[in-house]
Amino acid sequence: MKTIDIRKVRRDFPNLRVKVHGKPLVYFDNAATTFKPRPVIEAVAGYYQEYTSNVHRGIHELSEKATAAYEGARDKVQQFLNARGSKEIIFTRGTTESINLVAYSYGRHFLKSGDEILISEMEHHSNIVPWQMLCEEKGCVLKVIPFNDQGELSYEEFEKLLTAKTRLLSIVYISNSLGTVNPVKKMIKAAHGRGALVLVDAAQAVSHRAIDVQDLDCDFLAFSGHKLFGPTGTGVLYGKAQLLDAMPPFHGGGDMISSVTFQKTTYAALPYKFEAGTPHVAGVIGLGAAVDYVLSVGFNAIEGYEQKLLEYGTKALSAVPGLKLIGTAKEKVSILSFVLPNAHAHDIGTLVNDEGVAIRTGHHCTQPVMKHFGVPATSRASLTFYNTAEEIDALVKALRKVREVFS
Ligand code: PMP
């Protein structure tokens, strides 16, 4: 079985060499965005240095090269997700835009007053607000699956909330503020049994787990390139071809048409129907390189390594007096949210930053999760496969200092 060669992996990420306040940086904000390995940086720079040009438009050498690289990245993502075809891969600006695309195009065209949309209490705001906006406009009803104090969804409640009126289940695969891994495959099967479609928010899942959309049988799946070691401003919407085909375009403009007259415009075939205007060519090429990179490390190795880090981190943080972990699901990834008595999360963040440790503090765009636990904010250390147990020790040491300040 493949394992992580941590020295090699760390050499691949130039950003890890940065010092903060004269101390080696410990980067534990990977759920917000990940660092980029050298092949991704080189792929983006290579495009700008050697073949900058627009895609699908010119027949000149550079444009052909850029188009081949851009479409090559689509094929890589298709294989990465095991989609049936590359026309099922739509490039977007990120998870947020992918979800909005479905809400606007599918939601406004196919849903009507009284239809129910099911989400969960642990969704990121980007999987709440677009549906609320849709409900306001179309009179649909938003239903919410609760979770327990470990941060695990109540499957019983889910089954109760799933009714003949449910038209869409939009569910997060892995929670960004709790680390919980939801049983999405089982939920998809149950939702389909009731005739509902399912959108999976895989923003966090994509860097922790191999994803097979045919095995999951989800109807839509969204992720962001920047959380998969790729460039910011890139993202993917996977959708089953027959659904995407039936959906109207989201944005109108260049590249998404077949023909335009003032009397009538016809639209391009998939996937171009959903990619109006000049896309983020460099970013998408970088995303293709990120997919190659992650696969070269291998998800077996990533999962095994991260699970050990999670166990080590859970023990080490729990040993800090007074520290309470928020999110202790049986099935979880290396995301450690916590609170410390008498210390506000922002103060914790500032003090550990003085020690060179980067964590995230706040509500993590999941205010309902904060409400559930009765806290305004948490501190969150989110780890990936380039992090180490020594870095966790550095965080714990910094937290002990925080305790001294606040006790
Ligand atoms: N869903 C989840 C679970 C996330 O963690 C995030 C980003 N924190 C998003 C959606 C939104 O992603 P983006 O900001 O890249 O669109």
Side-chain angles (χ1 to χ4, degrees):
M1 202 180 103
K2 256 174 125 181
T3 52
I4 298 279
D5 180 348
I6 190 67
R7 283 217 195 141
K8 183 194 169 298
V9 159
R10 286 184 70 85
R11 273 200 305 274
D12 291 340
F13 291 84
N15 222 151
L16 288 171
R17 289 205 295 272
V18 164
K19 291 220 156 87
V20 172
H21 298 299
K23 299 183 176 121
L25 165 70
V26 173
Y27 186 73
F28 281 165
D29 198 14
N30 295 289
T33 198
T34 51
F35 285 170
K36 320 305 168 199
R38 208 178 294 281
V40 170
I41 298 166
E42 283 166 2
V44 172
Y47 164 77
Y48 283 127
Q49 282 172 3
E50 290 160 27
Y51 60 106
T52 301
S53 51
N54 216 321
V55 289
H56 309 136
R57 288 178 191 185
I59 52 153
H60 61 80
E61 176 92 9
L62 264 49
S63 178
E64 280 188 356
K65 195 170 169 194
T67 304
Y70 182 84
E71 291 304 326
R74 197 188 310 274
D75 295 341
K76 286 175 188 184
V77 173
Q78 177 237 321
Q79 284 160 28
F80 181 67
L81 295 178
N82 192 31
R84 281 171 202 82
S86 52
K87 66 177 182 179
E88 297 184 313
I89 305 300
I90 313 292
F91 287 122
T92 65
R93 286 188 300 131
T95 308
T96 304
E97 189 176 73
S98 297
I99 296 173
N100 274 278
L101 192 163
V102 177
Y104 275 85
S105 171
Y106 183 83
R108 277 158 182 78
H109 199 75
F110 291 105
L111 298 189
K112 55 180 193 323
S113 179
D115 285 346
E116 293 180 3
I117 299 166
L118 192 51
I119 60 170
S120 85
E121 195 186 359
M122 67 173 80
E123 299 308 320
H124 187 279
H125 295 164
S126 63
N127 198 26
I128 301 175
V129 184
W131 306 119
Q132 285 177 323
M133 290 161 72
L134 176 66
C135 287
E136 229 166 75
E137 200 180 307
K138 303 286 290 188
C140 304
V141 182
L142 194 63
K143 296 269 173 104
V144 183
I145 312 160
F147 60 77
N148 65 19
D149 290 343
Q150 282 70 54
E152 293 163 331
L153 283 186
S154 163
Y155 201 82
E156 246 176 47
E157 285 302 316
F158 162 63
E159 284 183 314
K160 275 190 214 152
L161 288 165
L162 196 59
T163 70
K165 285 190 183 163
T166 313
R167 296 290 308 280
L168 182 77
L169 165 69
S170 193
I171 186 79
V172 68
Y173 195 160
I174 295 182
S175 154
N176 64 310
S177 52
L178 301 166
T180 309
V181 181
N182 288 320
V184 288
K185 189 173 170 184
K186 198 169 144 195
M187 295 174 83
I188 290 164
K189 194 156 183 245
H192 284 169
R194 286 292 201 156
L197 295 184
V198 185
L199 185 158
V200 174
D201 171 356
Q204 295 299 330
V206 76
S207 68
H208 296 289
R209 290 273 191 284
I211 292 177
D212 180 331
V213 289
Q214 292 192 60
D215 179 54
L216 288 177
D217 197 26
C218 53
D219 301 287
F220 302 104
L221 181 135
F223 76 85
S224 303
H226 72 97
K227 293 183 200 279
L228 184 68
F229 316 98
T232 53
T234 63
V236 167
L237 173 70
Y238 156 80
K240 285 182 181 163
Q242 88 216 52
L243 287 168
L244 293 174
D245 260 330
M247 284 157 56
F250 178 31
H251 295 144
D255 254 17
M256 52 73 74
I257 55 90
S258 169
S259 76
V260 176
T261 66
F262 287 115
Q263 286 69 43
K264 182 157 180 66
T265 289
T266 55
Y267 305 127
L270 290 177
Y272 311 109
K273 182 172 81 173
F274 289 109
E275 291 182 8
T278 300
H280 187 354
V281 183
V284 165
I285 292 169
L287 176 56
V291 165
D292 284 342
Y293 181 82
V294 177
L295 292 178
S296 77
V297 178
F299 275 106
N300 272 342
I302 291 174
E303 256 192 73
Y305 183 85
E306 289 183 352
Q307 214 53 39
K308 283 203 188 104
L309 271 189
L310 172 65
E311 277 164 34
Y312 186 87
T314 305
K315 261 196 203 143
L317 285 183
S318 304
V320 176
L323 185 144
K324 185 178 168 229
L325 285 170
I326 302 283
T328 49
K330 271 189 231 80
E331 282 286 323
K332 68 173 283 194
V333 296
S334 45
I335 290 177
L336 293 154
S337 280
F338 58 91
V339 289
L340 266 180
N342 307 325
H344 191 276
H346 294 299
D347 296 326
I348 299 173
T350 307
L351 289 169
V352 303
N353 177 57
D354 290 346
E355 304 300 318
V357 183
I359 58 168
R360 181 77 151 204
T361 59
H363 53 64
H364 319 291
C365 299
T366 55
Q367 286 184 0
V369 172
M370 302 298 117
K371 186 162 181 242
H372 179 108
F373 287 99
V375 295
T378 71
S379 301
R380 181 189 70 187
S382 50
L383 284 54
T384 188
F385 62 81
Y386 50 61
N387 292 124
T388 65
E390 291 74 35
E391 290 182 316
I392 294 172
D393 294 342
L395 169 64
V396 168
K397 200 169 152 205
L399 288 175
R400 289 189 187 275
K401 282 196 184 168
V402 173
R403 268 205 79 243
E404 279 165 27
V405 173
F406 285 97
S407 61

